[in-house]
Amino acid sequence: MTKPRINLSLAHLTGKEQKYINEAFETNWVAPAGPNIDAFEKEFAETVGAKAAVAVSSGTAAIHLALALLDVSKGDKVFCSTLTFVASANPILYQGADPVFIDSEPESWNMSPNALKCAMEEAALEDDLPKAVIVVNLYGQCSKMDEISSICDLYGVPIIEDAAESLGSTYKGKASGTFGEFGIYSFNGNKIITTSGGGMLVSDDSEAINRARFLASQARDPAPHYQHTVVGYNYRLSNLLAGVGRTQLQVLGSRVKARRRIFELYFHALADLPGVRFMQELKDTESNRWLTTLSINEEEAEVTVNQLLEAFQKENIEARPVWKPLHLQPLFKGVSYYSHKENTHVAEHLFTTGICLPSGSGLTGEEQLRVIKCFRDAFNKTIINRSYFILGKHEV
Ligand SMILES: *Cc1c(COP(=O)(O)O)cnc(C)c1O
């Protein structure tokens, strides 16, 4: 008998979403426009503290719109974190532009200010500065935004903050995703809140957001007939899904709490194991702990990452390696890349040593104990620090 599946990060509904969906049905607002959209955008902008927001069909679409708004086009350079999901960089290709990948630094696992500085200096010398820098906040962790912003400011290059995984996280008290010219979020099924699929583009530039709304609705000029001057996209979120988003937004705080609790429990139960290093939280930041991630020093641990992944697979537990750096992807073969330091490739190292544990806010205490037991068994260290039993009660 196989054991019940434990997933990495499942959609977690409240049950109240139905009310908004019913309302939309009853009032026949199932078109991709309607009162839920306007309300969702407004409520979302307020939640993160941005001046304006536009709800779109995915996080990827939001990145694409941000690039279009910054006039990124064929032959332009765009810098992007290398340790991320491919969706961060695909829109660079949609625009016919050339990505340049920037390594991580070890503290945050996110964009290395050092590598970014080298890349900027070289680009400035060649008089070929990037049109934008896409900074990704991985697994809920904020990037070193002060350092990154000051480098970008020095060269006058705008930042697009990919906060798809970091909604609810803060850097010095300010919401992740609100540091760049544009911030993007995702409501895909595995993210901290979900609309089944969807995204949001935010900015303090309300005019730019209006322009994004125009581009996302096929760029229809104001005229009684159908009139088009520029290329547009069909990127709006539907009124139906915006209703789901509004309900989900109301529970964002408790979803962050639940994920942080899950992290704490893992930490208490596993941190004593040799060679296990959890992704730390940067000073003055709070992570939503979207996924609990850690890296394994295989020599100290005397267990390999592959052995651990196999052990999880046997127990029908979904654990994953961290993102494969984009500069190693066949899709981006030959693309330039800047390492953290000479001969220090942080993202590559994290890829070979990192592991993501099941972290969905709907994970039960019992399920989490199964993950912990499997992990410790792989280390032959079944005896555990009892303190985690006290922390083991989940409120969701
Ligand atoms: C999920 C994700 C995206 C894309 O969001 P979608 O809504 O799935 O298009 C972009 N960047 C990162 C880092 C992500 O994790």
Side-chain angles (χ1 to χ4, degrees):
M1 266 278 288
T2 47
K3 296 193 177 146
R5 179 83 170 155
I6 299 178
N7 290 286
L8 193 69
S9 179
L10 273 189
H12 185 186
L13 297 178
T14 65
K16 292 183 191 132
E17 290 83 1
Q18 199 66 41
K19 173 178 158 275
Y20 285 93
I21 293 179
N22 289 348
E23 250 173 46
F25 266 86
E26 280 157 18
T27 52
N28 207 28
W29 276 116
V30 288
N36 280 333
I37 301 254
D38 302 340
F40 186 36
E41 289 173 347
K42 191 165 163 283
E43 288 158 7
F44 192 91
E46 276 166 15
T47 300
V48 298
K51 284 223 177 85
V54 55
V56 291
S57 51
S58 70
T60 311
I63 299 173
H64 190 195
L65 287 170
L67 292 174
L69 290 164
L70 292 171
D71 204 23
V72 170
S73 47
K74 198 168 162 48
D76 286 336
K77 261 189 202 163
V78 176
F79 290 179
C80 180
S81 305
T82 194
L83 190 63
T84 183
F85 181 44
V86 70
S88 304
N90 268 336
I92 303 172
L93 301 183
Y94 302 166
Q95 291 301 92
D98 302 319
V100 172
F101 292 117
I102 311 292
D103 200 7
S104 299
E105 56 84 29
E107 270 186 319
S108 66
W109 299 26
N110 285 322
M111 187 179 277
S112 156
N114 198 44
L116 175 65
K117 189 163 161 273
C118 288
M120 280 291 188
E121 280 168 358
E122 268 195 45
L125 279 177
E126 291 163 8
D127 200 15
D128 189 17
L129 283 171
K131 272 274 182 75
V133 176
I134 301 175
V135 180
V136 183
N137 302 307
L138 223 51
Y139 304 122
Q141 166 89 272
C142 294
S143 306
K144 294 190 166 175
M145 289 316 295
D146 280 350
E147 290 88 336
I148 290 168
S149 297
S150 70
I151 295 166
C152 290
D153 286 351
L154 185 66
Y155 292 94
V157 178
I159 292 174
I160 299 169
E161 216 186 334
D162 179 346
E165 301 177 4
S166 63
L167 174 59
S169 304
T170 56
Y171 179 95
K172 297 190 173 171
K174 191 168 145 67
S176 181
T178 60
F179 287 82
E181 262 68 7
F182 295 102
I184 77 94
Y185 301 88
S186 165
F187 312 123
N188 194 17
N190 60 350
K191 298 299 190 324
I192 193 147
I193 61 167
T194 183
T195 59
S196 78
M200 194 72 81
L201 175 68
V202 306
S203 178
D204 281 338
D205 182 347
S206 309
E207 256 175 59
I209 292 298
N210 285 339
R211 174 93 184 151
R213 205 171 276 118
F214 164 78
L215 293 176
S217 340
Q218 307 285 21
R220 187 178 166 193
D221 295 334
H225 52 278
Y226 282 86
Q227 169 94 8
H228 305 272
T229 315
V230 297
V231 65
Y233 310 93
N234 183 5
Y235 277 169
R236 292 312 305 275
L237 187 70
S238 82
N239 188 60
L240 212 57
L241 297 185
V244 176
R246 291 182 71 191
T247 321
Q248 287 272 301
L249 193 58
Q250 286 167 13
V251 293
L252 174 61
S254 70
R255 294 293 188 259
V256 172
K257 252 197 203 149
R259 297 226 185 211
R260 287 181 62 82
R261 238 190 132 78
I262 285 163
F263 169 85
E264 245 165 71
L265 181 54
Y266 279 133
F267 185 83
H268 281 271
L270 301 172
D272 66 306
L273 293 172
V276 169
R277 277 184 205 92
F278 283 81
M279 182 200 248
Q280 53 180 322
E281 203 165 38
L282 269 190
K283 195 170 164 287
D284 297 327
T285 73
E286 188 169 288
S287 169
N288 67 11
R289 293 291 184 191
W290 174 57
L291 293 185
T292 291
T293 52
L294 48 88
S295 71
I296 307 280
N297 179 325
E298 293 184 345
E299 264 167 43
E300 285 173 34
E302 295 177 14
V303 181
T304 67
V305 171
N306 279 338
Q307 284 169 336
L308 267 169
L309 291 172
E310 275 166 26
F312 282 127
Q313 202 176 0
K314 263 198 208 127
E315 287 291 311
N316 207 15
I317 294 168
E318 186 188 11
R320 294 240 183 119
V322 306
W323 301 121
K324 179 173 178 173
L326 296 184
H327 71 273
L328 298 181
Q329 296 286 359
L331 173 65
F332 295 112
K333 200 165 184 274
V335 162
S336 26
Y337 147 78
Y338 288 82
S339 63
H340 176 53
K341 286 182 190 156
E342 211 183 332
N343 299 320
T344 307
H345 302 273
V346 176
E348 290 180 16
H349 180 72
L350 289 168
F351 171 56
T352 53
T353 59
I355 215 170
C356 306
L357 298 179
S359 310
S361 47
L363 195 73
T364 65
E366 202 182 321
E367 286 172 329
Q368 203 179 347
L369 291 189
R370 247 181 76 200
V371 180
I372 290 166
K373 182 166 182 310
C374 178
F375 198 109
R376 295 197 70 100
D377 283 351
F379 277 74
N380 288 319
K381 292 245 164 55
T382 312
I383 313 291
I384 30 181
N385 173 359
R386 293 276 137 184
S387 70
Y388 79 82
F389 279 112
I390 304 156
L391 285 154
K393 280 217 170 107
H394 288 252
E395 297 163 350
V396 210

